[in-house]
Amino acid sequence: MHKELSLIENIQRRPFLRPLIFWITGIGLQTCFPLQTVSFVLPIAAAAIIILSFFMPKVQFPPYNSRHIWGIVFAMITVFMAIEMTYLAEQSQGIVTELSFLQLKAQAAQAQMVEKLSMLALPDNDRAMLATITVNYRRAMSAELRNQFSAVGVSHLLSVSGFHVGIVCAFVRGLLSMLPKRNMTARILKYVLSMLMVWAFTYISGLTTAAVRAAIMISIYITGTVTDREPDKYNTIAAAAFLMLVYNPFYLYNVGFQLSFTAVLFIIYLYPRLKNLIKLRNPLIYTPWNVLTVTLSAQLGTLFLCCFYFGKTSMVFIFTNLTLSFLANLLIPTTLIWMIMPEWMPGFVMLGSIVEVLARWTMWIVENFASVPGASLALRFDLFTMLMSYLSLILIMLYFRMHGYKLMAAALISILVIIVYQLI
């Protein structure tokens, strides 16, 4: 019988979780209680612990063995570095910096690709949608169009994210699948080309938080496949979050960062469990069921955050996500290929016609479902309600995994607290 691992054992199995927890602690301490001037106590204390450890007796009771001593030292240094990096980020806020040469070139390439969309026989809204979901060019996007996508629960399509990066990566690796799998040269070539295409797409899309997160995770995954290792999913997402927060500690308070990582965490945890509720073998049913369970997992994970930040949630997402996700899987790579294809190349006109048809279908579904009465529900949460809602949800998920009556009791108590708080 499979033995459930404790919380400490799970953290020990995933080495990036510990520095991530300590780094987030440092960011929170600096933003809530500015400690930059007194944070130097931490490295001094860490140095003192290291020096004193040489004079300690060899035989110690467990709480003070060498592993725990080095763990305390590591925690102190990590929290200190997080505080200092957050302080530097605070000082640089409001300072306008000039775009680098590569950023200017990327913007020029993005504008050139978007300009090509004017060749398509499409309304302005359709072209604005194409520019947004392909290269994250959002300047032509109207507020009405954004509200329509939000009402049908597919606003993630309007922001280049892990969904888009995953489509590009899957498409590229599918094209390269003809290369020999056991030939090391072919595997390295496939790895290099996949990495280049993923990061080129991420860069030209504006290095959005969700796209960078996805690119880092996919890079770790692809690297693992080349070295014949399967990276742990939770450790991979912890590594992506840690690297992004080291680069910019204020990503922690970015709405896209929070939504992106919350959605991925819930997909990793809930998707396998929801998928296995019904055993399916027919591929015509199996694939839609997989898409539906992924959508439900992500929607459930981000529900309370959406209520906190946007004050509403979609009521028709379960009907739109399956169809629009399928269309997006066709539309995004097709449009990108058409954008980079020279006009003289055979098939350019035909591919443009396919893009037009897919774009019209996408907009038709969005516009019709957005006009359904009650397509979105106004539901605004404050910070306390959001945190208590997530606590209740996590306790319920743990109950179904461990079947402990105390977990269900705690979940019911937390729900009761939310109800009483809302009544008051």
Side-chain angles (χ1 to χ4, degrees), residues 63-187:
Y64 294 96
N65 60 33
S66 59
R67 192 182 73 176
H68 288 84
I69 290 174
W70 284 108
I72 293 171
V73 170
F74 173 78
M76 287 181 170
I77 294 175
T78 306
V79 171
F80 164 74
M81 293 177 65
I83 291 173
E84 293 300 313
M85 288 293 292
T86 306
Y87 172 75
L88 293 175
E90 288 174 339
Q91 298 305 306
S92 63
Q93 278 189 323
I95 299 175
V96 179
T97 56
E98 293 184 359
L99 295 177
S100 66
F101 174 77
L102 290 177
Q103 287 174 315
L104 291 172
K105 286 295 183 182
Q107 286 189 357
Q110 186 186 58
Q112 186 176 2
M113 293 178 73
V114 170
E115 186 180 356
K116 200 170 183 179
L117 293 175
S118 61
M119 299 175 62
L120 297 173
L122 290 172
D124 291 340
N125 272 352
D126 294 39
R127 284 198 291 267
M129 179 270 296
L130 282 177
T132 305
I133 70 171
T134 51
V135 293
N136 205 43
Y137 187 87
R138 306 173 67 86
R139 297 176 189 175
M141 179 67 60
S142 65
E144 181 185 358
L145 186 56
R146 284 197 298 268
N147 290 333
Q148 287 178 336
F149 272 80
S150 177
V152 299
V154 290
S155 55
H156 60 279
L157 293 180
L158 296 180
S159 176
V160 172
S161 61
F163 177 76
H164 302 71
V165 178
I167 290 175
V168 172
C169 180
F171 182 76
V172 172
R173 290 179 69 81
L175 291 178
L176 298 174
S177 61
M178 63 185 71
L179 296 174
K181 295 183 178 180
R182 297 186 179 182
N183 185 291
M184 182 54 66
T185 304
R187 292 178 65 182

Side-chain angles (χ1 to χ4, degrees), residues 158 182 193 257 269 290 349 362 400 408 423:
L158 296 180
R182 297 186 179 182
L193 290 176
F257 181 92
Y269 184 83
N290 276 358
V349 176
T362 301
F400 281 107
M408 181 53 68
L423 290 174

